[in-house]
Amino acid sequence: MTDGETSLAIRHARRAHDKRLDLSNRQLRTWPVEVSSLSDLAELDLSRNALNSVDPSLSQLANLEVLNLSGNQLIGFADLVEAMSGLERLRSLILDGNPCAMQLSPERLRELQNPQPKPGSTPAQTISSILQGAMADLGATMGFGSAASTLGGGLGSLGGGSLGSGG
């Protein structure tokens, strides 16, 4: 698919106020920033592309509930954690088939797709907590424990609640 076809699909979704947008299998190498204008979007499928990062503009999709990024080339969690700051309704994140997914256990990958939040916590908070934990674990493994924690430091809360505190 060409960039023009991708832009056309995004424009159509904007005009139709679509809740779901499928941009899978389009050989995208760069993040389609026009997606951030789709305020009604609840599901975004960007699977099986060649994306190696997530644009911070993703945080503008306040109604997003399902994000499929499987089968891309995402190598780290920092940009994803940053983009999560505005995704308070997110209830499923699919990362299978990305290099970064190899840093998570199969159980954690399943939990990202179907989080079981603690009482007083939202699925988005659980997802963010898993990603921040993965960053901290990776940083500790590489000797950068405090640096990894700092990368996600501004995102300790989504929707005003504290992650992992149950409230």
Side-chain angles (χ1 to χ4, degrees):
M1 296 254 160
T2 66
D3 286 343
E5 290 170 329
T6 299
S7 292
L8 182 63
I10 294 169
R11 282 195 307 272
H12 173 73
R14 186 180 314 117
R15 281 194 302 271
H17 300 283
D18 286 346
K19 302 278 186 215
R20 184 176 194 290
L21 179 60
D22 185 349
L23 295 177
S24 63
N25 291 311
R26 294 186 185 237
Q27 294 135 7
L28 298 174
R29 295 188 182 285
T30 59
W31 189 263
V33 291
E34 303 93 358
V35 166
S36 65
S37 67
L38 302 175
S39 59
D40 294 324
L41 209 56
E43 287 187 43
L44 178 58
D45 185 349
L46 283 161
S47 64
R48 297 179 305 279
N49 282 294
L51 299 171
N52 61 15
S53 65
V54 176
D55 194 274
S57 66
L58 176 66
S59 66
Q60 296 174 23
L61 299 177
N63 292 311
L64 195 64
E65 296 178 9
V66 178
L67 177 59
N68 186 347
L69 295 170
S70 64
N72 279 285
Q73 301 299 317
L74 301 175
I75 55 174
F77 297 108
D79 54 348
L80 192 52
V81 169
E82 181 180 345
M84 289 283 304
S85 66
L87 303 181
E88 296 177 10
R89 293 186 180 175
L90 193 69
R91 58 179 172 76
S92 181
L93 174 63
I94 306 164
L95 290 177
D96 303 49
N98 283 284
C100 67
M102 294 178 8
Q103 299 166 25
L104 296 169
S105 68
E107 294 80 23
R108 285 298 197 194
L109 281 172
R110 282 192 297 275
E111 194 174 358
L112 286 173
Q113 290 180 39
N114 187 22
Q116 303 299 315
K118 294 176 180 148
S121 183
T122 67
Q125 290 171 327
T126 301
I127 290 168
S128 184
S129 180
I130 292 168
L131 295 175
Q132 288 181 12
M135 282 176 49
D137 291 347
L138 181 61
T141 301
M142 299 177 72
F144 300 117
S146 61
S149 297
T150 302
L151 286 173
L155 302 175
S157 66
L158 281 171
S162 180
L163 291 179
S165 71

